[in-house]
Amino acid sequence: DVKVTQSSRYLVKRTGEKVFLECVQDMDHENMFWYRQDPGLGLRLIYFSYDVKMKEKGDIPEGYSVSREKKERFSLILESASTNQTSMYLCASSLGTRGATLKYNEQFFGPGTRLTVL
Amino acid sequence: GENVEQHPSTLSVQEGDSAVIKCTYSDSASNYFPWYKQELGKRPQLIIDIRSNVGEKKDQRIAVTLNKTAKHFSLHITETQPEDSAVYFCAARVRTGGFKTIFGAGTRLFVKA
């Protein structure tokens, strides 16, 4: 059973603080993703990674950075948190291209971190 | 850039009726279209998906249709039940070095008992 965990369910930070959101998956997945979820906007991709030390910008990377030092862990960093980064953050993972079936496309999501920046 | 449009944003149906959610995508190279269901307070989970070489796929009460020419795909839920109430997201996969999935804005489905 795939498990994707996130370090916190709820987080409250102050403007200007550096914030780390951690995501760990235990299924040896190559691909990992960070999304933010806001009402009426769906899931928007911030960054993704398809291998260790590899990262690609998603649709809204501004104000964020990521780190993938180990295959199982993908960290999202807010260098200087701002109030407009208050949101629900979801991490996800999926298999890479080594999967010959459709299953390599399925993304498994973590429980989410609700971040409030005051 | 690539985008996925989803309609309606809210859908309310009577128990037992059908529900249809429609999506359009912009990238003609997209080849994989998943649908995720997110119940209140829970994480999104895949419920059905379809590849671009297939026009329709069915799994019990849910089905997805794809029209590649028009770049439309739809989710159909028949004989709706209260437990179908959730937010549904359509998505399209694009290839940009990695496997990037673009999500629609979501449809909140209410099934009234």
Side-chain angles (χ1 to χ4, degrees):
Chain A
D1 198 24
V2 177
K3 200 167 204 178
V4 182
T5 57
Q6 295 182 227
S7 50
S8 306
R9 291 300 303 271
Y10 300 94
L11 210 53
V12 179
K13 295 291 181 181
R14 297 215 171 268
T15 302
E17 279 193 80
K18 191 168 186 175
V19 182
F20 293 87
L21 302 182
E22 304 282 340
C23 175
V24 177
Q25 49 92 6
D26 66 357
M27 283 300 292
D28 201 34
H29 283 175
E30 284 81 7
N31 302 325
M32 295 189 76
F33 309 84
W34 273 107
Y35 296 91
R36 62 177 283 177
Q37 182 175 18
D38 301 287
L41 297 176
L43 296 163
R44 293 182 293 165
L45 183 64
I46 304 171
Y47 267 97
F48 65 108
S49 166
Y50 51 91
D51 202 352
V52 176
K53 296 195 186 293
M54 303 296 288
K55 61 184 178 185
E56 281 207 30
K57 292 180 180 179
D59 300 315
I60 50 165
E62 297 79 19
Y64 304 94
S65 63
V66 290
S67 172
R68 184 121 181 249
E69 295 297 319
K70 293 185 178 181
K71 191 174 186 180
E72 67 270 19
R73 187 180 297 269
F74 192 35
S75 303
L76 180 69
I77 303 149
L78 287 66
E79 294 289 341
S80 178
S82 63
T83 54
N84 62 11
Q85 293 178 308
T86 291
S87 186
M88 169 68 83
Y89 289 87
L90 286 165
C91 172
S93 72
S94 70
L95 277 171
T97 55
R98 61 185 171 93
T101 68
L102 190 63
K103 286 300 176 186
Y104 72 79
N105 290 297
E106 181 178 357
Q107 291 190 27
F108 295 88
F109 285 85
T113 296
R114 185 164 293 283
L115 172 67
T116 302
V117 182
L118 301 174
Chain B
E2 312 100 349
N3 74 301
V4 174
E5 305 237 344
Q6 183 171 349
H7 300 280
S9 56
T10 307
L11 180 59
S12 184
V13 300
Q14 271 313 123
E15 183 178 1
D17 287 351
S18 294
V20 180
I21 302 170
K22 298 182 178 182
C23 291
T24 60
Y25 60 98
S26 60
D27 185 359
S28 55
S30 294
N31 61 359
Y32 171 69
F33 306 91
W35 286 86
Y36 287 82
K37 175 184 179 182
Q38 185 177 28
E39 296 176 14
L40 189 64
K42 296 191 176 177
R43 67 192 78 189
Q45 290 192 294
L46 181 74
I47 55 170
I48 195 167
D49 51 23
I50 191 168
R51 294 185 85 163
S52 56
N53 59 351
V54 175
E56 185 173 355
K57 184 177 177 181
K58 193 171 181 181
D59 183 4
Q60 299 182 351
R61 295 187 297 108
I62 58 173
V64 57
T65 58
L66 172 65
N67 182 330
K68 276 199 71 178
T69 304
K71 292 190 276 188
H72 288 171
F73 57 116
S74 300
L75 179 72
H76 304 252
I77 307 174
T78 58
E79 301 170 26
T80 53
Q81 300 165 4
E83 51 265 39
D84 294 330
S85 296
V87 177
Y88 291 82
F89 294 98
C90 64
R93 193 189 77 158
V94 300
R95 187 160 187 164
T96 56
F99 292 95
K100 176 178 160 181
T101 300
I102 309 292
F103 284 82
T107 296
R108 186 171 293 279
L109 174 64
F110 296 96
V111 180
K112 295 176 285 187

